[in-house]
Amino acid sequence: EPEVTQTPSHQVTQMGQEVILRCVPISNHLYFYWYRQILGQKVEFLVSFYNNEISEKSEIFDDQFSVERPDGSNFTLKIRSTKLEDSAMYFCASKVLGSTGELFFGEGSRLTVL
Amino acid sequence: GQSLEQPSEVTAVEGAIVQINCTYQTSGFYGLSWYQQHDGGAPTFLSYNGLDGLEETGRFSSFLSRSDSYGYLLLQELQMKDSASYFCAVLSGSARQLTFGSGTQLTVLP
């Protein structure tokens, strides 16, 4: 069964360092998303990506964040200068159609900022 | 803005039926989804209601009333493995993104 894969599963970094989280969405999917979840809290929308551009972003997704789809398979989230409050689980998700409410999530990348 | 409300915790016994309600306020509403999450793992899709009414998938059913901005997830014949967090999520916006509620922690007791 096709699945969304994310790497790394866990990354520990120092405050101020750059971090890149990687995702390989399901191959025939067209809509890509990043969400984050601070421990014990809800899943928060960060950004959506369609047709090689950002289609919507939340208030959380400030200038420190960027996304790229450098080739036909990878979808990356970069945090330019990490802060302590960026510590969270970051989930990549994808779906085949815009109209569906069925999102396929990866297992997540846990980011710990020290 | 958008807001969703669902109970923070629900407890039930094995074999019972439990209903998790969700009320929402949003613009550009397309539909309501439900997701299950075990111990902070990947959220897993359960159901989606784009139209009013009941959708049934095995032991799980979901209901939507657009006029009342209300939906619920019904879990029947509860099993221990159903202990998890359940999130309602509205599909909205030009990018058709999902906005999640705060989640309901379901505990199933023997």
Side-chain angles (χ1 to χ4, degrees):
Chain A
E1 186 173 326
E3 58 180 16
V4 176
T5 57
Q6 291 187 239
T7 55
S9 56
H10 189 191
Q11 181 157 355
V12 181
T13 190
Q14 294 291 324
M15 191 169 57
Q17 295 297 302
E18 176 183 284
V19 161
I20 297 177
L21 306 179
R22 292 181 167 81
C23 170
V24 180
I26 296 173
S27 61
N28 64 332
H29 286 190
L30 302 176
Y31 295 79
F32 313 114
Y33 304 83
W34 282 100
Y35 286 82
R36 80 170 186 191
Q37 186 177 34
I38 295 170
L39 188 63
Q41 298 186 24
K42 68 178 179 179
V43 179
E44 298 176 290
F45 169 73
L46 293 179
V47 65
S48 59
F49 194 86
Y50 170 70
N51 202 25
N52 288 319
E53 61 182 15
I54 290 174
S55 44
E56 193 146 346
K57 57 185 180 180
S58 71
E59 294 175 350
I60 302 169
F61 195 88
D62 61 22
D63 292 343
Q64 296 297 323
F65 291 87
S66 62
V67 289
E68 272 191 343
R69 189 158 160 81
D71 52 43
S73 59
N74 291 284
F75 180 50
T76 63
L77 174 70
K78 182 191 293 186
I79 309 175
R80 190 167 62 223
S81 178
T82 51
K83 303 186 283 285
L84 295 176
E85 54 264 37
D86 293 329
S87 293
M89 181 73 91
Y90 288 81
F91 290 106
C92 173
S94 69
K95 61 179 179 177
V96 60
L97 294 173
S99 56
T100 178
E102 182 175 7
L103 214 53
F104 292 80
F105 283 84
E107 290 296 321
S109 293
R110 178 165 297 286
L111 176 64
T112 302
V113 182
L114 302 176
Chain B
Q2 296 167 336
S3 68
L4 296 94
E5 288 193 17
Q6 55 181 127
S8 58
E9 294 178 345
V10 173
T11 302
V13 297
E14 263 188 306
I17 299 172
V18 73
Q19 178 173 314
I20 301 174
N21 298 319
C22 175
T23 57
Y24 59 87
Q25 288 186 320
T26 187
S27 56
F29 177 83
Y30 290 101
L32 188 71
S33 291
W34 289 91
Y35 285 78
Q36 179 190 64
Q37 186 182 40
H38 280 102
D39 298 326
T44 305
F45 173 79
L46 293 176
S47 69
Y48 173 70
N49 293 72
L51 302 173
D52 283 2
L54 193 67
E55 293 281 340
E56 296 179 79
T57 310
R59 294 187 297 114
F60 295 177
S61 303
S62 59
F63 172 83
L64 174 66
S65 168
R66 286 172 168 260
S67 59
D68 295 323
S69 297
Y70 163 77
Y72 66 73
L73 179 70
L74 190 73
L75 300 88
Q76 302 182 70
E77 300 172 19
L78 281 175
Q79 302 174 8
M80 298 294 288
K81 67 179 182 179
D82 297 329
S83 292
S85 291
Y86 291 83
F87 294 87
C88 60
V90 294
L91 184 70
S92 65
S94 57
R96 308 289 204 277
Q97 75 270 16
L98 284 171
T99 301
F100 285 75
S102 298
T104 299
Q105 178 65 47
L106 171 65
T107 302
V108 180
L109 302 174

